[in-house]
Amino acid sequence: MLSLDSFGTDTAGTTDSDWRQMTAADVMTRDVRTVPLDWSVDRLSRFLTDNAISGAPVVDEAGRLTGVVTLTDIVRQTGSGLLDLAQRDDSFYQGLLDRELSDEEQRAFHEAVDDGVLISDIMTPVVYSVTPETPMTEMVDAMVRGHIHRVLVTEDRLVVGIVTVLDLLRTITRN
């Protein structure tokens, strides 16, 4: 059984204070899959499901960050019948972002997406981005306060990494 006290030190002797010294560069995933503004939502849905990811940074022709797009953005746009949107509150959508989709749900995405809708039409243009030197504690605080599941790491508006909730959990549980 885990107690709250057990989160202070892991089996390798890493303490909370060690985690507080870590930065975005220490925990980020460097291989980030980005998408362009002009892809159709159909192409985006295939890209996300084929790569088993729930969202991606959106970049312009020069590779500069312009927004982020997620499965939730697709669901809101398509009204695909996957979810009864009228009966869900915001906490449901936040939980969906990092949930794995079944084969049936993936097929429904591909069947219901309007080819005329582009990523630029559904993306979120406001992105919380950090530099590689940003402290882990600052990222975690922003993620909790903003109810976000990913933070993009940038240098001169170019995406150099991504920190997801899964990355943070891996860091905390690493031996």
Side-chain angles (χ1 to χ4, degrees), residues 3-79:
S3 71
L4 291 178
D5 295 335
S6 67
F7 288 103
T9 305
D10 71 13
T11 57
T14 303
T15 65
D16 283 340
S17 62
D18 294 330
W19 295 333
R20 289 189 176 104
Q21 302 304 313
M22 297 180 92
T23 65
D26 296 325
V27 298
M28 71 184 187
T29 298
R30 295 174 192 282
D31 179 26
V32 181
R33 293 177 179 101
T34 63
V35 295
L37 289 159
D38 61 353
W39 272 11
S40 71
V41 174
D42 180 58
R43 185 170 179 186
L44 170 65
S45 66
R46 291 177 193 280
F47 173 82
L48 294 177
T49 56
D50 291 348
N51 287 285
I53 57 177
S54 62
V58 181
V59 296
D60 64 14
E61 306 81 33
R64 291 182 306 259
L65 181 65
T66 61
V68 67
V69 66
T70 67
L71 291 173
T72 299
D73 296 320
I74 295 171
V75 170
R76 285 184 181 140
Q77 186 277 324
T78 63

Side-chain angles (χ1 to χ4, degrees), residues 6 63 70-71 96-97 109 122 126-127 130 141 145 149-150 161 164-165:
S6 67
T70 67
L71 291 173
L96 175 67
L97 292 176
F109 270 125
I122 67 165
V126 178
V127 177
V130 299
D141 183 54
R145 283 186 293 111
H149 295 98
R150 64 190 52 79
T164 66
V165 171

